[in-house]
Amino acid sequence: MTEPTELDKVMLEKAKVKKEQFTADMVKYRTIYLENETNDYPFFLYLASIMNFVEYHNGGCLTEWGMKSLELDISPYIKQIQTGDPKLSQKDLVRFLLNLLNSYASTFLAKGLFEFANEDPTNFFKLNEFPTAIKDDFEKLNTKAEAVIPKLKQVLDAYTPTLEGKYKRVFLEEKSKGFYKPIFDPNALKIKTNKFPTDLDKARECK
């Protein structure tokens, strides 16, 4: 067997550090989510951390920018949209929609992952060594993901067309920054039917 090079050793050490970081993130967001399972804010972060764990060898699924987008508290924006007082600015609308888009993508990919795990759990969990408590959450997370996905898409489809001028351009430029792998059509405002990977292997790989 060939001995690992120094570069190999460095890459393996980086991957190990990432795996430990993403494990800690999963535990953290799971704890927050379980405090109030009706709150979608930690739900999306929990799903994103699960996707990051699976992709730890690639540095994660979501970029640091993508995680920061999910951490944004959008409740003030929702209130402004509901009341119109004050009217939501185009700048804040971009932030709101990017948060929803990254939430949608994380949920869509995680749902594919859960279904993939359910097909062959023995081999899946041998390959992906999730903590037992998190592994046991997969079924209920999948159920909630299935309910949330169409709601997120409905809101995105309703509000992305209201972006104007430079803010439309900003949204199109920024939306590709949330994930390491290209999963969005860079020129489309709306999410296209079947645009995300329907093949579970591809969804699992965050392609």
Side-chain angles (χ1 to χ4, degrees):
M1 182 178 293
T2 305
E3 287 293 320
T5 65
E6 287 303 314
L7 179 59
D8 290 335
K9 292 177 182 178
V10 170
M11 296 302 291
L12 286 170
E13 182 59 28
K14 285 184 177 180
K16 179 182 176 183
V17 170
K18 281 291 186 181
K19 185 176 183 180
E20 291 172 351
Q21 174 196 331
F22 294 145
T23 300
D25 287 345
M26 285 192 298
V27 173
K28 176 178 72 174
Y29 292 127
R30 179 179 187 271
T31 300
I32 299 172
Y33 172 62
L34 292 180
E35 289 175 358
N36 180 5
E37 295 185 36
T38 63
N39 185 358
D40 289 339
Y41 170 72
F43 172 71
F44 298 127
L45 285 164
Y46 186 17
L47 295 187
S49 69
I50 288 172
M51 292 308 305
N52 279 339
F53 178 80
V54 170
E55 288 285 308
Y56 77 88
H57 53 286
N58 290 323
C61 178
L62 283 84
T63 63
E64 183 178 351
W65 186 96
M67 291 301 292
K68 285 183 177 179
S69 173
L70 290 182
E71 289 170 356
L72 177 69
D73 180 8
I74 61 171
S75 57
Y77 301 154
I78 294 173
K79 185 176 181 181
Q80 285 178 254
I81 288 173
Q82 290 174 336
T83 65
D85 183 26
K87 182 180 178 180
L88 189 66
S89 70
Q90 285 280 300
K91 186 176 182 179
D92 286 341
L93 181 60
V94 169
R95 293 192 183 107
F96 171 71
L97 291 173
L98 287 172
N99 171 280
L100 291 188
L101 185 65
N102 289 324
S103 298
Y104 176 89
S106 299
T107 307
F108 190 100
L109 293 169
K111 187 178 186 304
L113 182 78
F114 299 147
E115 293 173 353
F116 185 81
N118 192 51
E119 287 186 354
D120 188 356
T122 300
N123 285 326
F124 176 86
F125 290 114
K126 184 178 180 181
L127 179 65
N128 302 282
E129 298 175 347
F130 282 92
T132 301
I134 292 170
K135 177 174 65 176
D136 291 346
D137 283 346
F138 273 28
E139 185 175 353
K140 67 177 181 180
L141 291 174
N142 188 42
T143 299
K144 182 165 183 174
E146 188 170 7
V148 165
I149 286 171
K151 295 176 182 177
L152 288 171
K153 187 176 186 303
Q154 183 179 17
V155 176
L156 284 163
D157 284 349
Y159 287 98
T160 49
T162 66
L163 289 168
E164 302 170 357
K166 71 173 185 179
Y167 294 103
K168 183 184 295 185
R169 293 194 299 274
V170 169
F171 177 80
L172 289 174
E173 290 167 2
E174 294 291 308
K175 74 176 188 176
S176 63
K177 296 180 180 179
F179 294 81
Y180 283 110
K181 297 180 182 179
I183 61 173
F184 299 117
D185 182 338
N187 301 310
L189 275 180
K190 285 192 175 184
I191 298 170
K192 296 181 179 180
T193 305
N194 296 328
K195 191 61 188 176
F196 277 172
T198 52
D199 180 87
L200 294 181
D201 283 327
K202 292 180 180 179
R204 173 181 169 275
E205 292 174 4
C206 203
K207 290 182 179 177

